[in-house]
Amino acid sequence: MKKLLLIVFSGFLVFVSGCESKEGLDINSSIVASEKSLPVAFDQMSTIDKKSNIKYIVLRVKNNEDYQEMWDTFQFKQDLKEVDLEKSDVIFLGLYESSSCPYSIKEIDTAEKSKVNIVFSDIEGSCTADESPRSFVIAIDKTSSNNIAEVALVQDKQKIVLPIVDK
């Protein structure tokens, strides 16, 4: 009887652990564009993260009109990239980087239901302390995007959590 109870309990634990939500799950996303540009009014539009002292903009758009407006505001030189805004929302991320160590997105995944991780590639070598503009445009499927309220920028062992502002 004890063996049967142990087998049933073990099976239950395996079943329950298989149903738990896992951190770091991939979401349906893609990098639409990245350029060394920022809005002219970046300083007025940006927010400063008090812990890291980094200025940033994180905006989400959900329709074509706002998408076109933000594309122009962020001063992208390339033509507007097509995104199916019936299926995806678009996040505009603007910040400064070191010109000798440009940011490159390694992966995008969910840390929690309401937070998306944007993981940058590790920095190799020494970086200059200058501020060079950088913008990213990221498409995220609407199902995932509707639940997301924050973006966590992750590089090496540093993590900065930023709120998303809806346009």
Side-chain angles (χ1 to χ4, degrees), residues 20-74:
E20 290 179 3
S21 111
K22 298 178 183 175
E23 290 190 1
L25 296 175
D26 289 333
I27 59 172
N28 189 7
S29 64
S30 63
I31 301 167
V32 177
S34 176
E35 283 191 13
K36 295 184 81 50
S37 66
L38 286 171
V40 172
F42 178 77
D43 288 333
Q44 291 80 19
M45 295 172 65
S46 65
T47 304
I48 298 176
D49 177 61
K50 291 182 172 109
K51 290 181 183 177
S52 64
N53 206 28
I54 292 177
K55 289 182 182 179
Y56 66 89
I57 298 173
V58 183
L59 294 171
R60 176 175 31 212
V61 297
K62 297 178 176 249
N63 62 58
N64 286 312
E65 184 179 307
D66 290 340
Y67 178 47
Q68 176 72 58
E69 179 186 342
M70 284 300 100
W71 189 272
D72 295 341
T73 299
F74 274 73

Side-chain angles (χ1 to χ4, degrees), residues 102-141:
Y103 289 131
S104 172
I105 295 178
K106 181 174 156 181
E107 67 181 297
I108 301 170
D109 63 34
T110 56
E112 301 166 14
K113 189 175 183 177
S114 64
K115 188 183 306 174
V116 65
N117 283 334
I118 298 177
V119 182
F120 294 109
S121 298
D122 294 338
I123 294 175
E124 297 178 15
S126 299
C127 302
T128 57
D130 62 337
E131 289 186 330
S132 181
R134 172 63 64 189
S135 292
F136 292 97
V137 180
I138 303 164
I140 298 179
D141 70 276

Side-chain angles (χ1 to χ4, degrees), residues 2 6 14 17 19 41 95-96 103 122 125 135 148 152 159 164:
K2 288 183 181 181
L6 181 62
V14 169
S17 66
C19 294
L95 44 77
Y96 286 109
Y103 289 131
D122 294 338
S135 292
I148 297 170
K159 185 180 208 175
I164 297 174

